[in-house]
Amino acid sequence: MDNCVFCKIIAGEIPSRKVYENEEIVVFEDIEPITRIHLLCVPKEHYKTIAELNEFRAETLGRAFYTLGKVLPSLGLQDGYRIVINQGEQAGQTVPHLHLHILGGEKLGWGK
Ligand code: 5GP
Ligand code: ZN
């Protein structure tokens, strides 16, 4: 989609520090990390929230969790991490292309 920063990263038009990629998803470092390790896992197809899931997108997202479970421990997250999806502006979503935040590399608190 035009004007989507994550679509541009996926297309290679904006540089990013990629740590994993396959046909369906890309995982790269957040440009403004809020934890010692802060990764973003982004499906390559553009849509905004889980309200727009269809069967294909849901399967891709499910496989993304499966893949992350295998890959993340080898990326410095072996002691635990948190996966967050901000859905909509009130929840703090600033990029309208669905993405999972992967937060870790340190002890995490809990709260809103
Ligand atoms: P949201 O607030 O939509 O849940 O998260 C968007 C995230 O994307 C933010 O944590 C922000 O730092 C990150 N971000 C925004 N623009 C870029 C960029 O150009 N490159 C990278 N690597 N991360 C970005
Ligand atoms: Zn996009």
Side-chain angles (χ1 to χ4, degrees):
M1 190 207 179
D2 292 349
N3 273 335
C4 170
V5 65
F6 289 171
C7 282
K8 287 182 178 165
I9 285 174
I10 290 160
E13 294 165 13
I14 293 179
S16 69
R17 292 158 79 115
K18 285 183 193 157
V19 297
Y20 178 83
E21 181 169 15
N22 66 25
E23 322 75 59
E24 297 183 318
I25 57 168
V26 60
V27 183
F28 54 87
E29 294 179 7
D30 196 293
I31 204 168
E32 290 185 65
I34 62 167
T35 48
R36 192 174 70 78
I37 298 175
H38 184 172
L39 305 174
L40 300 171
C41 172
V42 185
K44 291 186 173 177
E45 188 182 357
H46 180 98
Y47 59 98
K48 183 177 175 185
T49 72
I50 61 168
E52 293 166 60
L53 287 177
N54 55 32
E55 207 168 308
F56 173 80
R57 291 169 175 174
E59 284 175 4
T60 297
L61 200 53
R63 269 192 297 277
F65 280 100
Y66 170 80
T67 302
L68 291 173
K70 302 285 182 214
V71 165
L72 291 181
S74 64
L75 294 174
L77 292 162
Q78 61 283 340
D79 294 327
Y81 50 87
R82 179 171 296 150
I83 296 181
V84 175
I85 311 181
N86 296 326
Q87 298 283 276
E89 286 70 22
Q90 189 160 310
Q93 185 173 14
T94 57
V95 177
H97 182 137
L98 186 126
H99 51 283
L100 314 180
H101 291 264
I102 299 149
L103 307 169
E106 63 181 71
K107 181 96 173 138
L108 300 176
W110 181 246
K112 71 173 186 175

